[in-house]
Amino acid sequence: MLRYQDFPLDKKVFVFELDEVIYPKRDYLLQVYYLFANFLEFTETYPPQDDLVSFFKKHLDARGEEMIFEHAAEAFQFDLKYKEHFERLFVNAVLPVKLLMNEGMEDLLHEIVNAGKPICILTKGNPLMQLNKIKHIEWGSLASKLKVYFVDELKFRDLEPLDYIADELQIAKNQLIYIDGATSA
């Protein structure tokens, strides 16, 4: 668990990755899989939602996200025409349950804000999907304190993300700290 006192005092800006750092990505994926299974059962009456969700969970745990739709379609014999709907859900799904932050993360973010330091989210992946995740996290009073940047968008514009953030916030790059899934404090 990350704690504010474990970070160097000279850091002026805290930049966090979203997935696995702020919240467990699996929580988002499982809700999208649930929504898709519900849609498919309603549309085709087969496979039963519970069976498909169980398949998705087992696949995610054993083999990850890669090819999950194709493997499910093969196992349950449903039409590949639903892939577009499946992929669209990741970008615009309205989740049934808010995403909760990892243990201790909300306290850490509040401590940073109380110390008068900005919080940024710098996240990899499809910007629309990442924005959808951000929208479904239970931020509370922190929502108005966040500044969000998308790695893919900045790299598309040939910008180095951390350099860009430092320039925009008018600080030296060494005055920010980036906390991603590999960071441990």
Side-chain angles (χ1 to χ4, degrees):
M1 183 165 69
L2 298 173
R3 299 176 323 160
Y4 180 68
Q5 59 266 29
D6 295 332
F7 292 99
L9 296 174
D10 65 330
K11 300 304 177 185
K12 292 185 176 180
V13 175
F14 287 73
V15 181
F16 293 88
E17 172 57 78
L18 183 65
D19 295 329
E20 303 306 335
V21 176
I22 298 289
Y23 84 104
K25 183 179 179 185
R26 185 176 193 274
D27 292 356
Y28 182 78
L29 296 175
L30 291 176
Q31 288 195 62
V32 171
Y33 298 154
Y34 165 81
L35 291 170
F36 178 75
N38 190 19
F39 160 80
L40 196 59
E41 182 182 41
F42 179 78
T43 305
E44 296 290 331
T45 69
Y46 179 84
Q49 173 189 319
D50 291 344
D51 293 352
L52 185 53
V53 169
S54 177
F55 177 90
F56 282 139
K57 278 184 190 175
K58 287 176 186 167
H59 190 289
L60 184 62
D61 292 341
R63 299 167 78 178
E65 299 172 66
E66 193 169 319
M67 301 290 291
I68 198 166
F69 176 87
E70 291 78 6
H71 293 155
E74 183 180 322
F76 290 98
Q77 299 296 304
F78 58 80
D79 199 317
L80 294 175
K81 72 181 180 184
Y82 293 113
K83 182 157 187 173
E84 183 180 334
H85 181 79
F86 180 76
E87 290 173 349
R88 199 173 328 121
L89 275 174
F90 287 96
V91 173
N92 61 18
V94 176
L95 301 183
V97 178
K98 282 282 199 189
L99 297 171
L100 301 178
M101 288 185 231
N102 285 323
E103 182 182 345
M105 183 55 63
E106 186 173 2
D107 292 337
L108 171 63
L109 296 176
H110 278 292
E111 287 183 65
I112 293 168
V113 167
N114 291 339
K117 298 180 180 184
I119 299 171
C120 300
I121 304 294
L122 174 63
T123 186
K124 299 177 191 109
N126 177 330
L128 293 174
M129 179 170 55
Q130 296 306 90
L131 189 58
N132 196 44
K133 293 172 185 178
I134 290 168
K135 181 172 77 174
H136 285 94
I137 293 175
E138 186 62 61
W139 294 105
S141 64
L142 293 166
S144 63
K145 309 291 185 199
L146 300 174
K147 194 150 179 86
V148 178
Y149 301 90
F150 302 100
V151 170
D152 293 11
E153 185 179 285
L154 292 169
K155 289 196 175 203
F156 178 77
R157 296 170 37 202
D158 291 323
L159 298 168
E160 197 289 314
L162 294 176
D163 289 339
Y164 179 82
I165 292 170
D167 288 345
E168 186 173 270
L169 298 177
Q170 299 177 344
I171 61 166
K173 186 177 175 184
N174 67 357
Q175 292 178 308
L176 66 75
I177 186 164
Y178 177 52
I179 300 100
D180 65 4
T183 302
S184 61

